[in-house]
Amino acid sequence: MINETLELLEKPRADEVYMLAGWRQWADAGSVSSALPNYLIEQTGARKIGRILPESFYLFQVPGTQDFLRPEIKLADGYRKELQRHENQIFYSGSAHKGLVIFTGEEPHLNAERYADVFFTIARELRARRVISFGGVYAGVPYDKDRQVSCTYSLPRLKDELKEYAVRFSNYEGGVSIGSYLVDRAEQLELEYISMYAFVPMYDLSQLSPMLKGLSVEQDWKAWYDIMRRVDYMCKLGLDLSNLETKSRELVRSVGEQIDTLENKMPDANVREFLRKAAEEFEELSFMPLDDVWQTGLDDLFKDS
């Protein structure tokens, strides 16, 4: 135990350590924040090395509501098979040279300042040189284009570097998510903290026909892939992203097929034309590292020869 709220079972050491984080939170479009860390844990074979104890940060319920915030239980013949708990877990994978800490948590209901302090205690105890968190926001962006990635950062000096990763710097004003809330505390602690938010496709089709509702991407593999290409290059992690790339392409094809189905069933709704117009002002900002530019050039050269 590091303190009454943080439990670390071990402190792995590596020459260079990076920390990635996501939450079940408000800004979780496309499951970018909640599911991407779990995917990385599985892909890297990361082991659990600790957790934040939940007692200080969560409400059981809000008076006047029946099930809002309550934990959920699954029973079978009167026996408790499963009980949902608030989890904030720490995983680790890596070598003596490069270490990767993966944090997967749940946005706190209260004591956010204390939660932030505990979170960054993890980063300091494990000597993470940089923390990167994930989020997702729904928007009417094209499903078949590279996702826009919005970025916030804790220290002014990070901006020049971040320009290299084809990100947009957020000018958002409004309610804060835990990922953005931590930016403020990280600056106070003079820690490198970067929050990346992908814009995930969602379309309101009800204006085309009362028989249509919305179309959204619930698990946006394309957003996961576009964020992780930047993170992998930035931190030189050497992750194998081929599976994500494949799932990304399959997702684009699947959404395209859904739209074709709608177009065939309801041609008068002009779904394709609606999406085309919605995409007219979209400016695709693709991340193309110099290494990839050289490889693309070589591939084109040999293709033409």
Side-chain angles (χ1 to χ4, degrees):
M1 293 285 291
I2 300 300
N3 54 46
E4 70 276 11
T5 56
L6 176 59
E7 179 181 79
L8 277 179
L9 305 176
E10 59 174 298
K11 295 183 184 180
R13 294 300 184 218
D15 296 336
E16 218 173 81
V17 178
Y18 293 91
M19 181 172 169
L20 309 182
W23 293 266
R24 290 180 295 277
Q25 61 156 324
W26 167 41
D28 191 27
S31 300
V32 174
S33 189
S34 62
L36 175 53
N38 288 316
Y39 172 85
L40 294 172
I41 289 166
E42 180 180 348
Q43 291 294 305
T44 62
R47 63 187 185 275
K48 183 178 175 180
I49 63 168
R51 62 177 181 145
I52 295 176
L53 302 180
E55 285 80 2
S56 303
F57 306 112
Y58 300 98
L59 297 170
F60 182 75
Q61 56 103 18
V62 174
T65 64
Q66 183 168 344
D67 57 5
F68 183 58
L69 300 182
R70 288 181 186 269
E72 294 183 1
I73 194 169
K74 182 178 181 180
L75 301 172
D77 291 328
Y79 177 72
R80 185 264 313 146
K81 301 289 291 185
E82 182 180 331
L83 178 65
Q84 180 194 65
R85 290 180 171 85
H86 300 295
E87 298 281 2
N88 291 272
Q89 302 185 89
I90 309 155
F91 294 81
Y92 183 88
S93 69
S95 63
H97 171 60
K98 186 88 68 172
L100 179 61
V101 179
I102 305 173
F103 178 90
T104 177
E106 186 164 339
E107 194 170 46
H109 302 154
L110 66 169
N111 295 329
E113 193 70 25
R114 186 180 181 195
Y115 185 94
D117 285 338
V118 177
F119 178 82
F120 286 119
T121 296
I122 298 169
R124 287 179 298 196
E125 289 288 334
L126 299 177
R127 300 191 302 180
R129 65 181 299 179
R130 177 172 291 181
V131 181
I132 304 170
S133 71
F134 308 134
V137 179
Y138 280 121
V141 295
Y143 71 91
D144 54 352
K145 302 293 185 182
D146 284 353
R147 303 294 184 254
Q148 289 184 352
V149 176
S150 179
C151 181
T152 60
Y153 50 91
S154 61
L155 304 174
R157 61 178 171 80
L158 293 173
K159 185 176 182 180
D160 286 341
E161 177 193 346
L162 291 169
K163 289 177 181 177
E164 302 175 11
Y165 306 126
V167 298
R168 298 183 183 278
F169 297 111
S170 177
N171 293 308
Y172 168 79
E173 296 181 12
V176 68
S177 67
I178 185 60
S180 297
Y181 182 88
L182 292 171
V183 173
D184 178 69
R185 187 62 181 136
E187 182 173 17
Q188 295 171 23
L189 297 171
E190 297 185 349
L191 296 175
E192 292 189 2
Y193 175 87
I194 297 164
S195 185
M196 289 189 173
Y197 286 80
F199 286 89
V200 176
M202 181 176 72
Y203 313 115
D204 178 12
L205 303 179
S206 63
Q207 56 189 293
L208 303 179
S209 167
M211 298 179 64
L212 293 175
K213 296 182 180 179
L215 177 63
S216 62
V217 179
E218 300 301 322
Q219 187 158 295
D220 193 355
W221 298 98
K222 177 62 174 166
W224 297 14
Y225 178 60
D226 287 346
I227 283 180
M228 286 310 303
R229 287 183 65 237
R230 291 165 168 83
V231 171
D232 187 61
Y233 185 83
M234 177 193 300
C235 303
K236 303 295 184 290
L237 296 175
L239 298 175
D240 181 0
L241 301 181
S242 58
N243 179 256
L244 265 185
E245 182 178 17
T246 299
K247 288 181 176 295
S248 170
R249 290 174 177 168
E250 291 173 350
L251 172 72
V252 171
R253 182 170 61 252
S254 175
V255 174
E257 290 172 352
Q258 291 181 56
I259 294 170
D260 287 341
T261 299
L262 288 175
E263 186 78 4
N264 291 331
K265 286 184 176 180
M266 304 183 65
D268 292 341
N270 295 314
V271 175
R272 280 283 179 194
E273 179 64 13
F274 170 79
L275 296 180
R276 186 193 67 77
K277 289 182 177 179
E280 281 181 348
E281 297 182 3
F282 178 79
E283 180 183 354
E284 188 174 21
L285 191 59
S286 299
F287 175 56
M288 183 65 75
L290 187 58
D291 294 346
D292 289 357
V293 173
W294 278 107
Q295 186 61 51
T296 300
L298 288 172
D299 290 344
D300 290 344
L301 178 63
F302 285 115
K303 188 185 301 180
D304 295 337
S305 62

